[in-house]
Amino acid sequence: MCGILAVLGAADWLKHRGPDWSGLYQCEGNFLAQQRLAIVSPLSGDQPLYNADRTIVVVANGEIYNHKKIRKQFASKHTFSTGSDCEVIIPLYEEYGEDFVDMLDGVFAFVLYDTRTKTYMAARDAIGVNPLYIGRGSDGAVWISSEMKALNEDCVEFEIFPPGHLYSSAAGGLRRWYKPQWFAENVPATPYQPLLLREAFEKAVIKRLMTDVPFGVLLSGGLDSSLVAAVTKRHLIKTEAAEKFGAELHSFVVGLEGSPDLIAAREVADHLGTIHHEFHFTVQDGIDAIEEVIYHDETYDVTTIRASTPMFLMARKIKALGVKMVLSGEGSDELLGGYLYFHFAPNKEEFHKETCRKVKALHQYDCLRANKATSAWGLEVRVPFLDKEFINVAMSMDPEWKMYNADLGRIEKWVMRKAFDDEEHPYLPKHILYRQKEQFSDGVGYNWIDGLKAFTEQQVSDEMMKNAAKVYPHNTPVNKEAYYYRMIFERLFPQESARETVPWGPSIACSTPAAIEWVEQWKASHDPSGRLIASHNSASANHTNHANANANGNSNGKANGNCAMAANGTNGVGLVVANGTANGKMEA
């Protein structure tokens, strides 16, 4: 990942995102700056990027997985001057104008300036894996940035640049370019096709092995990360990456001493034969890092901070080993209804609508955490579950197949487990394939959450909580942990626009506010933890029994989710700012 900005060359805010190179372009009142983390073509992909006569300029934070195909398409029309995958943005624009973004297969945030027409456009990837913000200066200039902190002091207002949108100065505003069928939330009827689902996921993993630097996988030992690791290991030998760095795969896990993730990840790593790296942290290590985590994540959401902190600590150690890119398992639970609260969906219509709501909001939750907590140390995370084609396959499936069904022996994410349950060439042992889910913040060690609660209890008085609504009338903290994080956030980002980037609302075990309506008792709860789901223990027992029935093994781990009531803020990767006179409105 990289950082793109365009304000008087002020890319210092983003150097952590791209420590390998700094690039700056200025034309009249417009500035584009980029901080590069070099993953593809590290010796020739420095930015800004230009066309042959330098009339079109691009700064980008992204990975375009179909760039070689696009290069072949324009081989006779365009002279490529770098090996950067993002350079294909330029010939696409020259050929199709602004209507090319859906032709990009990858994740991205970019700004393109056309000196001939003095117009610019910016775009963000479909789901919002890469972060982006848009703001307005006091002089009317439009600012676009990978992180909020670059806009924090200079914009009179700013907001999240919505995923799947592009901004056009010529047209005068934002418009959606990503328009999949599932976005309308109509319930699909396509039958479950396990081989199609498996093939789509394998393709998603393989294309993300496009790298010219050492890489690895994040491995918690749960289903999602284990499948990412298993598919990577199986196909790595046939990739260009293996020719450069060998076929050995490095895996990484973080946790408190004796935590569930450490134990489960070691078992999977031993089975797959990865070079496994186990990082330990203490509760005090995590507490000491909280302020840095809030600074980099740009949020006060409880869930995000809890889960980001161990990831933030792990990313630093991974980067110290010389690894610059990792694959991870974010997105599966949203696409497939993997959270325990989905057991309570009253019907397949509600189940599907909730998955749609969750996927649409990913840029404010897991994408933000995975991206910003790692980019803080110049480490890139790639998420194959959020591949556009895999999303299309997963979201076009009749949701009846995704639902928990005790009578049929289907546990959460059964469709994914069944797709990879290959008797002849097994990807994973059955007891791992059917292992129940752990929330990331619990999987790293149950004492982590308890330790945070105990610490923040000492930092925030009862009197402070009584006055919370007066001090923080917007998104009022509902407990001392939330209040503590909010104090730090307000000190770092005191603007009204900043606090409004963080979504808020009631939640149980990572649910959206709408899903709270499924169970009457949930409405009265102020504790967002999945531990409070009434039938959690019986659900865990049922999962274990079904896993035993399906896998002839034991399901390791307990799904003690700790998803908090507040949603997070924005993602964090590239950064772009067109600092010129605004030629339109910020509204979509």
Side-chain angles (χ1 to χ4, degrees), residues 4 59-61 89 98 100-102 104 107-112 120-126 130-132 144 161-168 174-175 177 576:
I4 47 177
V59 288
N61 162 38
I89 292 170
E98 295 178 342
F100 70 87
V101 183
D102 200 24
L104 299 173
V107 295
F108 50 82
F110 70 83
V111 168
L112 179 151
Y120 56 88
M121 66 172 291
R124 188 178 183 188
D125 66 75
N130 284 13
L132 203 61
I144 304 171
F161 192 111
H165 280 69
L166 68 84
Y167 180 89
S168 168
L174 287 158
R175 70 175 184 269
W177 65 263
V576 186

Side-chain angles (χ1 to χ4, degrees), residues 283-442:
V283 172
Q284 190 60 51
D285 291 334
I287 289 171
D288 291 343
I290 289 293
E291 183 159 344
E292 281 187 278
V293 169
I294 293 174
Y295 172 77
H296 285 288
D297 275 13
E298 302 178 321
T299 188
Y300 49 85
D301 173 59
V302 173
T303 305
T304 306
I305 295 167
R306 286 176 174 179
S308 290
T309 303
M311 201 171 197
F312 173 85
L313 296 172
M314 174 173 58
R316 183 178 191 177
K317 294 184 177 182
I318 292 174
K319 186 62 182 294
L321 293 174
V323 172
K324 297 175 71 172
M325 184 273 282
V326 290
L327 275 67
S328 189
E330 279 75 17
S332 172
D333 291 312
E334 289 75 12
L335 288 166
L336 304 174
Y339 295 111
L340 281 185
Y341 77 88
F342 273 96
H343 292 188
F344 298 88
N347 50 57
K348 70 178 185 180
E349 289 78 15
E350 281 297 312
F351 185 102
H352 180 68
K353 289 179 180 179
E354 178 70 359
T355 60
C356 292
R357 290 190 291 262
K358 291 291 292 180
V359 175
K360 289 176 182 178
L362 264 169
H363 68 286
Q364 297 177 300
Y365 293 90
D366 284 16
C367 287
L368 177 143
R369 167 183 55 78
N371 191 291
K372 289 188 174 181
T374 54
S375 293
W377 301 106
L379 178 69
E380 175 173 299
V381 169
R382 295 182 179 177
V383 284
F385 279 105
L386 296 181
D387 178 80
K388 270 199 305 183
E389 183 54 36
F390 180 78
I391 291 173
N392 288 339
V393 173
M395 295 299 283
S396 64
M397 182 194 315
D398 186 337
E400 189 75 41
W401 291 93
K402 298 180 184 178
M403 296 182 72
Y404 173 82
N405 189 318
D407 295 334
L408 296 176
R410 294 179 187 169
I411 63 175
E412 72 277 352
K413 293 184 286 193
W414 176 85
V415 292
M416 201 70 186
R417 302 175 196 271
K418 185 65 175 175
F420 282 89
D421 193 351
D422 188 326
E423 295 284 352
E424 188 173 351
H425 303 289
Y427 289 79
L428 293 166
K430 284 186 181 288
H431 70 282
I432 295 175
L433 191 62
Y434 289 92
R435 174 180 284 151
Q436 193 185 11
K437 176 181 176 54
E438 285 277 0
Q439 303 293 354
F440 182 75
S441 53
D442 257 356

Side-chain angles (χ1 to χ4, degrees), residues 210-221:
M210 177 186 80
T211 178
D212 293 321
V213 298
F215 76 100
V217 295
L218 302 186
L219 179 62
S220 68

